Amino acid sequence: PYALAAGAGRVAASLGLARAPRGVDPRALAAHVLHHADVAMYRAKAVGGDRWVWFAPAMLGDDAPASTGSGPALAPGRLGIA
């Protein structure tokens, strides 16, 4: 938790991770990777949030398990707001 003027606050994140695949047209690569990362992020949220999930091709068609991680994404005291 972080001390705020209005009380304590907590920051949590759900991250979707994706790698750039080989053989994708470079003009479409950013959209392709972003879509896969987005799919993985929503999987992270669906399994409880506050974790990361690597994209797996099976996520596009079914409810296959994902490689996930959980725990603090940021060490205590490392968040700064300007």
Side-chain angles (χ1 to χ4, degrees), residues 50-75:
D50 200 14
R51 68 190 66 235
W52 52 266
V53 173
W54 275 104
F55 171 78
M59 290 179 189
L60 294 175
D62 62 26
D63 292 326
S67 171
T68 66
S70 63
L74 196 62

Side-chain angles (χ1 to χ4, degrees), residues 16-42:
L17 306 171
R19 292 186 179 102
R22 294 179 186 200
V24 174
D25 182 347
R27 294 169 290 184
L29 186 60
H32 186 85
V33 172
L34 184 59
H35 173 69
H36 287 179
D38 198 43
V39 168
M41 179 197 63
Y42 281 104

Side-chain angles (χ1 to χ4, degrees), residues 1-10 81:
Y2 292 91
L4 304 172
R10 182 176 179 279
I81 300 174

